[in-house]
């Protein structure tokens, strides 16, 4: 079965403003995110990509623009199932405000029980994304062969949930996974089991250096802004 390259979109204006973007329209890449996207074609230059699939949201489409310009033979496919989690009434709100919501504790510790007001549950998010990957695996293998490599550009919580699915982890453990903006995660699927072969690879280790304000014990809903 194929190898899936998962790219989280580059850093966005919502990331730097500390907003939970969700499906809020008009969320674009910031200056750093645009630079991350510009570097993506070089990082993937050695990979013969058979297909490119993207979330419909602007920040993902902007992330892929340089890669598609470098590979004019490829046309992107849009799949809403790998779009961001529907955060409902939380969409567009500041994460600093949301941390005091009782539901945030559930999102952190028991995400399989979390459902966003006016939005979707985290279980539903993972289910739709995993179903999309399995359908694309079959389609890519049918059209390009079992050794094909294809790419999906998606969002932090979506990618984390797909990694958990590949590792056989319960969704309640997915907050232990971290993927920075424009990071590359690779999963090689086989008939009997998937293999996680890259996780959150940016080629930049800045985020591992000590910070002036140490990171807390909670995961950043939506994926966070990455290295400062």
């Amino acid at each position: 079965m194929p190898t899936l390259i998962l790219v989280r979109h580059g850093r966005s204006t919502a990331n730097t403003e500390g907003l939970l973007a969700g499906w809020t329209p008009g969320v674009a890449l910031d200056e750093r995110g645009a630079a991350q996207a510009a570097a993506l074609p070089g990082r993937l230059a050695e990979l013969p990509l058979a297909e490119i699939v993207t979330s419909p949201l602007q920040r993902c489409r902007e992330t892929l623009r340089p890669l598609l310009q470098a590979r004019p033979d490829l046309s992107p496919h849009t799949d809403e199932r790998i779009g961001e989690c529907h955060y409902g009434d939380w969409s567009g709100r500041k994460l600093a405000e949301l941390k005091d919501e009782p539901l945030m504790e559930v999102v952190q510790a028991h995400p399989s029980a979390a459902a966003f007001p006016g939005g979707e549950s985290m279980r539903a998010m993972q289910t739709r994304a995993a179903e999309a990957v399995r359908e694309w695996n079959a389609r890519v293998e049918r059209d390009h062969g079992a050794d094909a490599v294809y790419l999906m550009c998606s969002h932090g919580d979506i990618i984390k949930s797909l990694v958990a699915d590949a590792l056989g982890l319960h969704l309640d453990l997915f907050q232990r996974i971290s993927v920075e903006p424009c990071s590359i995660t690779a999963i090689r699927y086989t008939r009997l089991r998937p293999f996680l072969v890259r996780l959150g690879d940016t080629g930049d280790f800045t985020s591992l250096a000590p910070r002036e304000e140490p990171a807390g014990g909670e995961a950043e809903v939506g994926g966070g802004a990455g290295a400062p």
Side-chain angles (χ1 to χ4, degrees), residues 42-89:
R43 294 169 63 197
L44 297 172
E46 300 301 316
L47 292 181
L49 298 175
E51 300 283 0
I52 293 180
V53 188
T54 183
S55 155
L57 295 174
Q58 179 179 339
R59 53 198 183 272
C60 286
R61 292 186 283 107
E62 288 183 356
T63 298
L64 287 178
R65 190 172 297 151
L67 180 62
L68 292 167
Q69 290 172 347
R71 304 203 185 199
D73 55 314
L74 289 175
S75 297
H77 305 273
T78 300
D79 195 325
E80 292 196 356
R81 294 173 298 176
I82 61 167
E84 181 62 284
C85 184
H86 290 276
Y87 297 117
D89 297 343

Side-chain angles (χ1 to χ4, degrees), residues 182-205:
C182 225
S183 63
I184 294 172
T185 294
I187 302 171
R188 181 171 293 129
Y189 288 88
T190 73
R191 187 174 67 87
L192 296 180
R193 64 183 64 84
F195 293 89
L196 179 66
V197 293
R198 292 288 189 280
L199 176 61
D201 189 341
T202 64
D204 179 359
F205 298 102

Side-chain angles (χ1 to χ4, degrees), residues 104-119:
M104 182 60 85
E105 188 175 14
V106 181
V107 170
Q108 292 290 327
H110 190 19
S112 65
F116 296 97

Side-chain angles (χ1 to χ4, degrees), residues 83-190:
E84 181 62 284
C85 184
H86 290 276
Y87 297 117
D89 297 343
W90 281 25
S91 299
R93 292 182 60 187
K94 284 194 170 292
L95 288 163
E97 299 172 357
L98 291 169
K99 70 178 183 180
D100 295 325
E101 294 277 355
L103 177 61
M104 182 60 85
E105 188 175 14
V106 181
V107 170
Q108 292 290 327
H110 190 19
S112 65
F116 296 97
E120 70 179 332
S121 69
M122 302 198 93
R123 297 188 315 280
M125 174 198 74
Q126 183 187 45
T127 298
R128 64 172 164 85
E131 287 178 351
V133 166
R134 281 162 176 75
E135 288 182 19
W136 276 101
N137 282 348
R139 177 172 173 175
V140 170
E141 181 173 5
R142 181 196 68 203
D143 295 344
H144 303 282
D147 295 328
V149 178
Y150 75 106
L151 181 147
M152 283 184 169
C153 186
S154 188
H155 307 266
D157 282 348
I158 295 289
I159 293 172
K160 288 163 55 178
S161 73
L162 289 171
V163 170
D165 175 76
L167 292 176
L169 292 177
H170 196 282
L171 184 62
D172 285 346
L173 300 178
F174 100 126
Q175 297 289 27
R176 301 183 183 193
I177 299 165
S178 176
V179 290
E180 292 198 2
C182 225
S183 63
I184 294 172
T185 294
I187 302 171
R188 181 171 293 129
Y189 288 88
T190 73

